[in-house]
Amino acid sequence: RRGAGVLRRARGAPRGGGGARQDGGGGQQEEACELDSLAAVADMQARVEERASRLRKDLETLADRKRDMLLEGVRVELEREAHEDLQRREPALRKRAAAAIKQVRSAAHAAHADYAAALQEIDGQLALLARVREGAEAQQREQEALQQRCVEALACWALEARRAERDRRERHFWEAARWLRAGASAEK
């Protein structure tokens, strides 16, 4: 449609519509001129469309570049803000980290002290247990020795009692024998 308006203007026709030919004799020459004009217009239109296509591509490329530059600018700005924020917060973070380290060290020292106290208490209990064991073993040895002496004393007493009983029976026997001899001699 745009091309039709261009062709009409190239022919010299008024915009409103078909104008009558004014010259009746040079029709062929005019047709050849019109064809040349049409070819020139078509060629010009192709070049314009090609140029418009290139301009659209260039415009898209520029838009892509602008978007990339904006994104890069945003990225740089975000990195800068993050860096500044980190620098602003760094002293507080360092202070919190130092406080946390101090707490951990304090807890570690307290745990170490508790551990050392527990070890010392265990060592004391083990030493006490060793003394009690030694005392129990000494008392057991003493009781075994006492038991052995009691058994030996009981054995000696039993032996003495047996010997005393034997002696007593033997005396009794001799006395009875003397009595019987004395009684038998008195009867004769």
Side-chain angles (χ1 to χ4, degrees):
R1 292 194 155 203
R2 256 185 350 191
V6 171
L7 284 177
R8 270 189 242 114
R9 273 183 255 133
R11 284 190 209 150
R15 280 190 176 209
R21 283 195 182 137
Q22 295 183 13
D23 186 21
Q28 286 180 339
Q29 188 177 9
E30 204 175 294
E31 253 182 67
C33 194
E34 275 183 37
L35 287 175
D36 286 343
S37 293
L38 282 175
V41 167
D43 184 46
M44 185 184 295
Q45 184 176 359
R47 283 183 295 176
V48 166
E49 287 176 3
E50 181 181 328
R51 178 73 177 142
S53 174
R54 280 187 296 194
L55 285 173
R56 274 192 295 276
K57 287 180 184 175
D58 288 347
L59 188 59
E60 288 173 5
T61 302
L62 284 173
D64 289 345
R65 285 184 184 166
K66 185 177 179 180
R67 186 189 70 238
D68 291 345
M69 287 173 63
L70 285 173
L71 289 174
E72 179 65 19
V74 167
R75 184 189 65 77
V76 167
E77 182 63 21
L78 287 174
E79 285 179 358
R80 184 189 62 75
E81 286 180 10
H83 182 69
E84 287 175 0
D85 188 48
L86 184 61
Q87 284 182 338
R88 276 192 309 270
R89 293 181 183 209
E90 186 177 6
L93 291 174
R94 286 187 187 275
K95 190 174 181 180
R96 285 175 59 193
I101 289 170
K102 188 176 180 180
Q103 285 179 340
V104 167
R105 285 184 179 157
S106 175
H109 288 303
H112 189 314
D114 289 348
Y115 176 73
L119 282 180
Q120 191 173 9
E121 184 178 342
I122 289 170
D123 287 344
Q125 295 294 329
L126 286 174
L128 177 63
L129 184 61
R131 286 192 304 271
V132 167
R133 183 177 180 185
E134 287 172 2
E137 287 174 349
Q139 192 174 17
Q140 183 179 7
R141 285 190 301 270
E142 205 174 285
Q143 285 179 354
E144 286 174 355
L146 182 61
Q147 185 180 14
Q148 183 65 33
R149 285 193 303 262
C150 285
V151 166
E152 289 172 359
L154 188 59
C156 282
W157 177 81
L159 187 64
E160 285 296 318
R162 197 167 141 202
R163 203 176 296 145
E165 181 65 23
R166 190 181 64 210
D167 287 347
R168 186 187 66 78
R169 284 186 183 182
E170 193 176 313
R171 271 190 314 254
H172 187 337
F173 173 77
W174 289 116
E175 281 178 15
R178 230 180 297 140
W179 186 71
L180 279 175
R181 265 190 246 146
S185 343
E187 274 188 25
K188 278 191 188 183

